């Protein structure tokens, strides 16, 4: 049952991203979880302004708070950076 919930959430997020960012290019049916959303390797061709729009849309849609810096860092890095990866100056 958990996989159905995850699949449903992933599809919701995919649809939200396509809608919010006005993706008009051929849209892949599914995005790989580790695939970058932003930058030259993005299959959707999104940029950093799209990242901000995604964070705002997810916050509104799901009633959650995403720390702006951390949220953008995770989106821009393809979800590879984690807070525990940060080093103190």
């Amino acid at each position: 049952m958990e996989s159905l919930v995850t699949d449903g959430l992933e599809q919701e997020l995919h649809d939200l991203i396509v809608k919010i960012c006005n993706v008009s290019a051929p849209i892949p049916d599914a995005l790989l979880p580790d695939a970058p959303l932003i930058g030259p390797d993005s299959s959707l061709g999104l940029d950093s302004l799209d990242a901000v729009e995604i964070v705002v849309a997810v916050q509104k849609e799901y009633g959650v708070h995403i720390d702006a810096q951390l949220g953008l860092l995770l989106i821009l890095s393809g979800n590879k950076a984690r807070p525990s990866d940060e080093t103190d100056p």
Side-chain angles (χ1 to χ4, degrees), residues 5-86:
V5 172
T6 302
D7 290 344
L9 179 59
E10 287 176 2
Q11 186 61 49
E12 284 180 30
L13 291 171
H14 177 270
D15 295 345
L16 181 67
I17 290 167
V18 167
K19 177 183 171 189
I20 293 301
C21 299
N22 298 313
V23 176
S24 60
I27 302 166
D29 289 334
L31 297 172
L32 297 174
D34 292 336
L37 290 175
I38 310 299
D41 295 330
S42 168
S43 62
L44 300 177
L46 304 179
D47 61 23
S48 59
L49 293 177
D50 292 314
V52 173
E53 291 180 1
I54 292 167
V55 169
V56 170
V58 167
Q59 290 181 129
K60 286 182 181 178
E61 182 72 22
Y62 296 100
V64 296
H65 174 75
I66 300 172
D67 178 83
Q69 290 180 339
L70 178 59
L72 291 176
L73 174 66
L74 291 174
I75 289 172
L76 292 172
S77 69
N79 201 18
K80 293 177 185 154
R82 304 265 187 246
S84 60
D85 293 343
E86 296 177 5

